[in-house]
Protein backbone atom coordinates (compact mmCIF):
# COMPACT_ATOMS: atom_id res chain seq x y z
CA UNK A 1 0.00 0.00 0.00
CA UNK A 2 1.53 3.29 -1.18
CA UNK A 3 1.86 5.76 1.66
CA UNK A 4 3.53 9.11 2.35
CA UNK A 5 4.11 10.20 5.95
CA UNK A 6 5.39 13.65 6.90
CA UNK A 7 6.48 14.04 10.51
CA UNK A 8 6.89 17.63 11.74
CA UNK A 9 7.27 19.57 14.98
CA UNK A 10 4.45 21.74 16.26
CA UNK A 11 3.75 22.94 19.82
CA UNK A 12 6.33 20.55 21.25
CA UNK A 13 4.66 17.55 19.61
CA UNK A 14 5.63 15.53 16.55
CA UNK A 15 2.61 15.56 14.27
CA UNK A 16 1.83 13.62 11.10
CA UNK A 17 0.65 14.71 7.66
CA UNK A 18 0.15 12.66 4.50
CA UNK A 19 0.14 15.45 1.91
CA UNK A 20 3.07 16.78 -0.09
CA UNK A 21 1.10 20.02 -0.55
CA UNK A 22 1.29 20.45 3.23
CA UNK A 23 5.08 20.14 2.97
CA UNK A 24 5.25 22.92 0.38
CA UNK A 25 3.01 25.29 2.32
CA UNK A 26 4.86 25.11 5.66
CA UNK A 27 8.39 26.10 6.79
CA UNK A 28 10.78 23.35 5.78
CA UNK A 29 12.61 23.68 9.09
CA UNK A 30 9.60 22.29 10.96
CA UNK A 31 9.86 18.91 9.28
CA UNK A 32 11.68 16.00 10.85
CA UNK A 33 11.10 12.86 8.80
CA UNK A 34 9.52 12.04 5.43
CA UNK A 35 8.71 8.36 5.01
CA UNK A 36 7.92 7.02 1.52
CA UNK A 37 6.48 3.52 1.46
CA UNK A 38 6.05 2.02 -2.02
CA UNK A 39 5.07 5.37 -3.56
CA UNK A 40 4.70 6.17 -7.25
CA UNK A 41 7.56 7.59 -9.28
CA UNK A 42 5.62 10.86 -9.68
CA UNK A 43 5.62 11.39 -5.91
CA UNK A 44 9.34 10.69 -5.72
CA UNK A 45 10.06 13.13 -8.57
CA UNK A 46 7.96 15.82 -6.92
CA UNK A 47 9.82 15.39 -3.64
CA UNK A 48 13.19 15.33 -5.42
CA UNK A 49 12.46 18.67 -7.08
CA UNK A 50 11.32 20.27 -3.86
CA UNK A 51 14.12 19.05 -1.55
CA UNK A 52 16.84 18.98 -4.23
CA UNK A 53 17.74 15.37 -3.52
CA UNK A 54 18.09 12.19 -5.57
CA UNK A 55 15.96 9.17 -4.69
CA UNK A 56 17.31 5.89 -5.99
CA UNK A 57 15.06 3.36 -7.67
CA UNK A 58 14.58 -0.01 -5.96
CA UNK A 59 16.66 -1.75 -8.63
CA UNK A 60 19.52 0.67 -7.96
CA UNK A 61 19.36 0.04 -4.20
CA UNK A 62 19.48 -3.74 -4.78
CA UNK A 63 22.36 -3.68 -7.28
CA UNK A 64 24.52 -1.12 -5.47
CA UNK A 65 27.83 -2.53 -4.22
CA UNK A 66 28.40 -3.02 -0.51
CA UNK A 67 31.23 -0.49 -0.51
CA UNK A 68 28.92 2.17 -1.98
CA UNK A 69 26.02 1.78 0.44
CA UNK A 70 27.22 4.77 2.46
CA UNK A 71 27.69 8.07 0.62
CA UNK A 72 28.42 11.59 1.88
CA UNK A 73 28.31 14.76 -0.22
CA UNK A 74 28.69 18.41 0.80
CA UNK A 75 25.17 18.64 2.19
CA UNK A 76 23.67 15.14 2.04
CA UNK A 77 24.17 11.79 3.73
CA UNK A 78 22.86 8.70 1.86
CA UNK A 79 22.67 5.26 3.47
CA UNK A 80 21.37 2.12 1.75
CA UNK A 81 20.67 -1.00 3.78
CA UNK A 82 18.72 -4.24 3.41
CA UNK A 83 16.06 -4.95 6.03
CA UNK A 84 15.03 -8.56 6.64
CA UNK A 85 11.32 -9.35 6.73
CA UNK A 86 9.83 -12.02 8.97
CA UNK A 87 9.78 -14.45 6.02
CA UNK A 88 13.51 -13.77 5.47
CA UNK A 89 13.00 -11.85 2.26
CA UNK A 90 14.90 -8.55 2.02
CA UNK A 91 13.58 -5.05 1.48
CA UNK A 92 16.16 -2.44 0.39
CA UNK A 93 15.75 0.79 2.37
CA UNK A 94 17.35 4.13 1.48
CA UNK A 95 18.00 6.86 4.08
CA UNK A 96 18.65 10.40 2.84
CA UNK A 97 19.64 13.03 5.42
CA UNK A 98 19.75 16.65 4.29
CA UNK A 99 19.24 19.88 6.23
CA UNK A 100 18.38 17.82 9.35
CA UNK A 101 15.45 16.23 7.49
CA UNK A 102 15.42 12.47 7.05
CA UNK A 103 13.83 10.93 3.94
CA UNK A 104 13.31 7.17 3.98
CA UNK A 105 12.39 5.14 0.90
CA UNK A 106 11.17 1.55 1.24
CA UNK A 107 8.83 -0.92 -0.43
CA UNK A 108 7.41 -2.97 2.46
CA UNK A 109 5.81 -2.54 5.87
CA UNK A 110 8.60 -2.81 8.43
CA UNK A 111 8.12 -3.43 12.14
CA UNK A 112 11.16 -1.33 13.04
CA UNK A 113 9.56 1.73 11.41
CA UNK A 114 6.31 1.29 13.34
CA UNK A 115 8.23 0.90 16.60
CA UNK A 116 10.29 4.02 15.88
CA UNK A 117 7.11 6.04 15.28
CA UNK A 118 5.89 4.90 18.71
CA UNK A 119 9.16 6.03 20.31
CA UNK A 120 8.93 9.45 18.66
CA UNK A 121 5.31 9.90 19.74
CA UNK A 122 6.15 8.95 23.33
CA UNK A 123 9.19 11.27 23.64
CA UNK A 124 9.16 13.89 20.86
CA UNK A 125 11.81 16.04 22.58
CA UNK A 126 14.35 13.26 22.16
CA UNK A 127 14.09 13.59 18.35
CA UNK A 128 14.87 17.19 17.38
CA UNK A 129 16.46 16.34 14.00
CA UNK A 130 16.32 13.74 11.26
CA UNK A 131 19.69 12.41 12.41
CA UNK A 132 18.10 11.41 15.71
CA UNK A 133 15.38 9.55 13.80
CA UNK A 134 17.99 7.79 11.62
CA UNK A 135 19.86 6.54 14.68
CA UNK A 136 16.57 5.49 16.30
CA UNK A 137 15.58 3.50 13.17
CA UNK A 138 18.91 1.66 13.12
CA UNK A 139 18.76 1.04 16.87
CA UNK A 140 15.24 -0.38 16.59
CA UNK A 141 16.27 -2.50 13.63
CA UNK A 142 19.17 -4.01 15.57
CA UNK A 143 16.76 -4.79 18.42
CA UNK A 144 14.48 -6.57 15.95
CA UNK A 145 17.47 -8.46 14.52
CA UNK A 146 18.26 -9.58 18.07
CA UNK A 147 14.70 -10.93 18.38
CA UNK A 148 15.06 -12.80 15.08
CA UNK A 149 18.36 -14.31 16.22
CA UNK A 150 16.80 -15.36 19.53
CA UNK A 151 13.91 -16.97 17.66
CA UNK A 152 16.40 -18.79 15.42
CA UNK A 153 18.27 -20.01 18.50
CA UNK A 154 15.04 -21.47 19.90
CA UNK A 155 14.41 -23.33 16.64
CA UNK A 156 17.94 -24.73 16.68
CA UNK A 157 17.44 -25.87 20.29
CA UNK A 158 14.15 -27.59 19.40
CA UNK A 159 15.81 -29.29 16.45
CA UNK A 160 18.70 -30.41 18.65
CA UNK A 161 16.31 -31.88 21.22
CA UNK A 162 14.37 -33.76 18.53
CA UNK A 163 17.44 -35.18 16.80
CA UNK A 164 17.76 -38.90 17.39
CA UNK A 165 18.79 -42.07 15.59
CA UNK A 166 15.16 -42.78 14.67
CA UNK A 167 14.55 -39.27 13.29
CA UNK A 168 17.64 -39.08 11.05
CA UNK A 169 16.02 -38.66 7.64
CA UNK A 170 16.24 -36.39 4.60
CA UNK A 171 13.60 -34.01 6.00
CA UNK A 172 15.73 -33.36 9.07
CA UNK A 173 18.81 -32.65 6.97
CA UNK A 174 16.73 -30.24 4.87
CA UNK A 175 15.65 -28.42 8.05
CA UNK A 176 19.27 -28.08 9.18
CA UNK A 177 20.22 -26.67 5.76
CA UNK A 178 17.28 -24.24 5.89
CA UNK A 179 18.35 -22.96 9.32
CA UNK A 180 21.92 -22.57 8.08
CA UNK A 181 20.76 -20.41 5.17
CA UNK A 182 18.58 -18.25 7.42
CA UNK A 183 21.40 -17.82 9.91
CA UNK A 184 23.68 -16.75 7.07
CA UNK A 185 21.11 -14.17 5.95
CA UNK A 186 20.90 -12.84 9.51
CA UNK A 187 24.68 -12.54 9.62
CA UNK A 188 24.80 -10.64 6.32
CA UNK A 189 22.03 -8.35 7.52
CA UNK A 190 23.70 -7.51 10.83
CA UNK A 191 27.14 -7.05 9.20
CA UNK A 192 25.49 -4.58 6.82
CA UNK A 193 24.24 -2.55 9.82
CA UNK A 194 27.68 -2.77 11.43
CA UNK A 195 29.28 -1.09 8.41
CA UNK A 196 26.65 1.63 8.30
CA UNK A 197 26.89 2.49 11.99
CA UNK A 198 30.69 2.42 11.89
CA UNK A 199 30.65 4.93 9.03
CA UNK A 200 28.13 7.12 10.86
CA UNK A 201 30.46 7.30 13.86
CA UNK A 202 32.92 9.20 11.68
CA UNK A 203 30.33 11.40 9.98
CA UNK A 204 29.97 15.15 10.53
CA UNK A 205 26.25 14.85 9.76
CA UNK A 206 25.66 13.03 13.05
CA UNK A 207 25.53 15.28 16.15
CA UNK A 208 28.12 14.60 18.84
CA UNK A 209 25.39 13.81 21.36
CA UNK A 210 24.46 10.72 19.29
CA UNK A 211 27.98 9.28 19.29
CA UNK A 212 27.54 7.34 22.58
CA UNK A 213 24.33 5.79 21.27
CA UNK A 214 26.03 4.73 18.04
CA UNK A 215 28.88 3.25 20.07
CA UNK A 216 26.35 1.25 22.08
CA UNK A 217 24.70 0.01 18.88
CA UNK A 218 28.11 -1.19 17.63
CA UNK A 219 28.61 -3.11 20.88
CA UNK A 220 25.17 -4.70 20.52
CA UNK A 221 25.96 -5.66 16.93
CA UNK A 222 29.26 -7.25 17.96
CA UNK A 223 27.39 -9.32 20.56
CA UNK A 224 24.90 -10.42 17.90
CA UNK A 225 27.72 -11.41 15.55
CA UNK A 226 29.16 -13.65 18.28
CA UNK A 227 25.72 -15.12 18.92
CA UNK A 228 25.30 -15.87 15.22
CA UNK A 229 28.72 -17.54 15.12
CA UNK A 230 27.65 -19.75 18.02
CA UNK A 231 24.46 -20.66 16.11
CA UNK A 232 26.57 -21.60 13.06
CA UNK A 233 28.71 -23.86 15.23
CA UNK A 234 25.63 -25.53 16.71
CA UNK A 235 24.19 -26.20 13.26
CA UNK A 236 27.50 -27.66 12.08
CA UNK A 237 27.48 -29.91 15.15
CA UNK A 238 23.90 -30.99 14.41
CA UNK A 239 24.83 -31.72 10.82
CA UNK A 240 27.81 -33.84 11.93
CA UNK A 241 25.58 -35.64 14.43
CA UNK A 242 23.01 -36.31 11.70
CA UNK A 243 25.68 -37.74 9.39
CA UNK A 244 26.94 -39.86 12.30
CA UNK A 245 23.45 -41.30 12.77
CA UNK A 246 23.23 -42.01 9.04
CA UNK A 247 26.56 -43.87 9.19
CA UNK A 248 25.30 -45.92 12.14
CA UNK A 249 22.20 -46.91 10.20
CA UNK A 250 24.26 -47.81 7.15
CA UNK A 251 26.64 -49.86 9.27
CA UNK A 252 23.69 -51.73 10.80
CA UNK A 253 22.39 -52.61 7.35
CA UNK A 254 25.83 -53.69 6.15
CA UNK A 255 26.26 -55.74 9.33
CA UNK A 256 22.94 -57.54 8.78
CA UNK A 257 23.80 -58.41 5.18
CA UNK A 258 27.26 -59.57 6.21
CA UNK A 259 25.88 -61.85 8.95
CA UNK A 260 23.23 -63.28 6.63
CA UNK A 261 25.90 -63.96 3.99
CA UNK A 262 28.18 -65.72 6.46
CA UNK A 263 25.31 -67.78 7.96
CA UNK A 264 24.29 -69.11 4.56
CA UNK A 265 27.79 -69.81 3.32
CA UNK A 266 28.15 -73.31 4.95
CA UNK A 267 24.65 -74.48 3.87
CA UNK A 268 25.37 -73.19 0.39
CA UNK A 269 28.67 -75.07 0.32
CA UNK A 270 26.96 -78.29 1.45
CA UNK A 271 24.17 -77.88 -1.11
CA UNK A 272 26.77 -77.23 -3.82
CA UNK A 273 28.71 -80.39 -2.93
CA UNK A 274 25.63 -82.59 -3.10
CA UNK A 275 24.55 -80.92 -6.29
CA UNK A 276 27.66 -82.07 -8.20
CA UNK A 277 25.89 -85.29 -9.31
CA UNK A 278 29.01 -87.50 -9.36
CA UNK A 279 28.34 -91.22 -9.58
CA UNK A 280 30.61 -92.10 -6.66
CA UNK A 281 28.83 -90.27 -3.83
CA UNK A 282 27.68 -92.89 -1.27
CA UNK A 283 25.24 -90.54 0.42
CA UNK A 284 23.19 -90.23 -2.77
CA UNK A 285 22.18 -93.88 -2.52
CA UNK A 286 21.30 -93.83 1.18
CA UNK A 287 17.79 -93.33 2.51
CA UNK A 288 19.08 -90.85 5.10
CA UNK A 289 21.10 -88.88 2.51
CA UNK A 290 18.57 -86.15 1.84
CA UNK A 291 17.45 -85.47 5.48
CA UNK A 292 21.08 -85.87 6.57
CA UNK A 293 22.19 -83.13 4.17
CA UNK A 294 19.35 -80.84 5.34
CA UNK A 295 20.27 -81.48 8.98
CA UNK A 296 23.93 -80.74 8.26
CA UNK A 297 22.97 -77.45 6.59
CA UNK A 298 20.82 -76.42 9.59
CA UNK A 299 23.50 -77.38 12.10
CA UNK A 300 26.13 -75.39 10.22
CA UNK A 301 23.92 -72.28 10.29
CA UNK A 302 23.17 -72.71 13.99
CA UNK A 303 26.88 -73.10 14.73
CA UNK A 304 27.63 -69.80 12.97
CA UNK A 305 24.85 -68.04 14.94
CA UNK A 306 26.18 -69.48 18.22
CA UNK A 307 29.71 -68.41 17.38
CA UNK A 308 28.59 -64.80 16.54
CA UNK A 309 26.63 -64.51 19.78
CA UNK A 310 29.53 -65.84 21.81
CA UNK A 311 31.77 -63.17 20.24
CA UNK A 312 28.98 -60.61 20.91
CA UNK A 313 28.82 -59.66 17.25
CA UNK A 314 25.01 -59.93 17.36
Amino acid sequence: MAEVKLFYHKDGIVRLSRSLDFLKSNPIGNFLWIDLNDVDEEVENELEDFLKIYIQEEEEMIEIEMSSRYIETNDTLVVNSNFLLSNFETDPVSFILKNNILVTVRGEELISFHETVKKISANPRNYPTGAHVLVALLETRVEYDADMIENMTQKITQLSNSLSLQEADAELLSEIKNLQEKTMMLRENIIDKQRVVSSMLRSEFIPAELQPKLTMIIKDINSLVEHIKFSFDRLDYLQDTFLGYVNIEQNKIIKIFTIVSVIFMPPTLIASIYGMNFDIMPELHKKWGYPGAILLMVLSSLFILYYFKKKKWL
Side-chain angles (χ1 to χ4, degrees):
M1 179 181 177
E3 190 175 27
V4 179
K5 293 181 180 179
L6 309 173
F7 297 89
Y8 63 97
H9 288 285
K10 185 177 181 181
D11 302 328
I13 299 175
V14 175
R15 301 181 183 273
L16 172 64
S17 174
R18 303 179 188 272
S19 171
L20 286 182
D21 293 333
F22 180 82
L23 172 66
K24 298 176 181 179
S25 60
N26 284 271
I28 192 67
N30 292 343
F31 288 89
L32 174 71
W33 176 22
I34 302 173
D35 182 31
L36 308 179
N37 181 13
D38 194 26
V39 297
D40 297 332
E41 187 175 350
E42 295 179 359
V43 176
E44 291 183 355
N45 293 336
E46 187 176 354
L47 191 61
E48 283 179 332
D49 293 337
F50 183 74
L51 295 178
K52 306 303 179 186
I53 60 174
Y54 173 67
I55 298 176
Q56 296 172 323
E57 298 294 330
E58 183 175 355
E59 291 78 10
E60 293 180 282
M61 290 189 283
I62 294 174
E63 295 175 0
I64 192 170
E65 295 181 1
M66 184 67 72
S67 59
S68 302
R69 291 184 178 274
Y70 183 91
I71 303 171
E72 285 190 20
T73 63
N74 291 332
D75 58 356
T76 307
L77 170 64
V78 180
V79 175
N80 294 290
S81 181
N82 290 323
F83 278 41
L84 270 183
L85 305 177
S86 57
N87 58 0
F88 282 85
E89 292 183 359
T90 58
D91 179 37
V93 181
S94 182
F95 303 89
I96 306 169
L97 184 64
K98 182 177 181 180
N99 298 327
N100 289 326
I101 300 175
L102 177 66
V103 179
T104 54
V105 185
R106 55 193 173 103
E108 299 287 344
E109 290 292 335
L110 299 171
I111 295 177
S112 51
F113 276 66
H114 291 291
E115 292 300 319
T116 301
V117 171
K118 292 179 181 179
K119 291 180 180 179
I120 294 174
S121 300
N123 298 288
R125 293 183 180 179
N126 293 338
Y127 304 92
T129 70
H132 291 75
V133 177
L134 173 57
V135 173
L137 284 168
L138 292 173
E139 181 182 34
T140 307
R141 176 65 229 191
V142 171
E143 291 173 356
Y144 183 64
D145 287 337
D147 291 339
M148 293 186 72
I149 293 171
E150 183 178 355
N151 184 49
M152 183 67 62
T153 301
Q154 292 176 354
K155 290 182 179 180
I156 294 173
T157 300
Q158 292 174 358
L159 184 64
S160 177
N161 293 336
S162 65
L163 184 61
S164 65
L165 186 60
Q166 290 74 24
E167 298 295 331
D169 55 14
E171 184 177 349
L172 186 60
L173 182 61
S174 178
E175 180 64 20
I176 294 175
K177 180 177 179 295
N178 182 43
L179 288 174
Q180 286 176 327
E181 291 178 352
K182 289 181 176 179
T183 304
M184 189 176 300
M185 292 180 69
L186 278 169
R187 183 181 183 278
E188 292 176 354
N189 182 60
I190 201 68
I191 292 296
D192 178 37
K193 305 300 177 295
Q194 187 181 49
R195 291 188 176 186
V196 169
V197 177
S198 297
S199 298
M200 289 173 61
L201 275 169
R202 301 186 295 269
S203 175
E204 296 180 356
F205 288 92
I206 306 300
E209 63 189 83
L210 291 175
Q211 298 294 321
K213 184 166 287 188
L214 289 174
T215 302
M216 186 59 65
I217 294 175
I218 284 290
K219 290 181 179 179
D220 291 340
I221 289 175
N222 291 337
S223 297
L224 294 181
V225 170
E226 288 298 319
H227 200 156
I228 291 173
K229 183 180 182 299
F230 176 68
S231 296
F232 268 125
D233 292 340
R234 288 188 68 187
L235 287 170
D236 286 340
Y237 171 75
L238 288 178
Q239 190 173 45
D240 291 341
T241 303
F242 172 86
L243 294 176
Y245 282 155
V246 171
N247 288 334
I248 291 174
E249 285 294 323
Q250 290 177 342
N251 290 337
K252 282 185 176 180
I253 295 172
I254 294 172
K255 180 180 179 181
I256 291 172
F257 278 107
T258 301
I259 291 173
V260 170
S261 300
V262 173
I263 289 174
F264 282 99
M265 280 178 63
T268 303
L269 176 62
I270 295 171
S272 299
I273 291 173
Y274 285 103
M276 293 180 181
N277 294 321
F278 289 115
D279 289 335
I280 304 176
M281 292 185 72
E283 294 85 353
L284 294 177
H285 305 288
K286 302 293 183 180
K287 293 182 179 180
W288 51 265
Y290 173 71
I294 295 295
L295 178 62
L296 185 60
M297 293 167 67
V298 172
L299 290 176
S300 63
S301 296
L302 292 176
F303 173 77
I304 295 296
L305 284 173
Y306 169 77
Y307 183 78
F308 278 14
K309 284 188 176 181
K310 186 176 181 181
K311 291 289 186 178
K312 296 184 179 180
W313 294 345
L314 288 177

